[in-house]
Amino acid sequence: MKAYELMLLIDPSLDEEALAAVVEKATGVITSQGGTVDSSENWGKRRLAFEVNGKTDGDYTVVQFHTVPSAIAELDRVLHITDPVFRFMIVRRDDLA
């Protein structure tokens, strides 16, 4: 399995339970595909450099995980159709392999 990092930019108007549900949905996809979540860190609300979907703030969450490369396509698909997720970025981490 390879090491990856996922950064989520989530709608800041969500309450704590809804925010946790969005992160749980992403980590659930990772674990259902046979991966393991190493850490999940909420960076909190931050001001954006430019407006995204009419919002000037966003809630950032970073997830470190290991999975097989074929699971990344499913994670990408699920995050694209998850409405509270404004943007996301999945990066392969060669330094953590």
Side-chain angles (χ1 to χ4, degrees):
M1 287 197 289
K2 299 181 187 290
Y4 293 92
E5 180 177 275
L6 167 66
M7 178 171 278
L8 296 167
L9 177 58
I10 303 171
D11 187 351
S13 64
L14 295 179
D15 60 356
E16 292 297 320
E17 293 83 25
L19 177 66
V22 171
V23 174
E24 179 60 36
K25 184 175 187 179
T27 58
V29 170
I30 294 166
T31 56
S32 71
Q33 299 290 320
T36 59
V37 176
D38 300 327
S39 67
S40 177
E41 182 180 358
N42 186 342
W43 287 4
K45 291 178 178 51
R46 308 263 174 123
R47 179 159 300 281
L48 302 176
F50 54 90
E51 271 191 21
V52 178
N53 296 343
K55 307 279 184 177
T56 57
D57 293 329
D59 201 311
Y60 287 84
T61 300
V62 177
V63 179
Q64 306 274 341
F65 64 98
H66 283 79
T67 191
V68 293
S70 60
I72 298 301
E74 177 64 14
L75 179 60
D76 185 73
R77 184 191 71 77
V78 169
L79 291 174
H80 268 104
I81 61 173
T82 305
D83 288 335
V85 177
F86 291 160
R87 301 276 195 274
F88 65 92
M89 182 171 59
I90 304 169
V91 180
R92 181 165 166 221
R93 299 282 309 263
D94 291 327
D95 58 331
L96 297 177

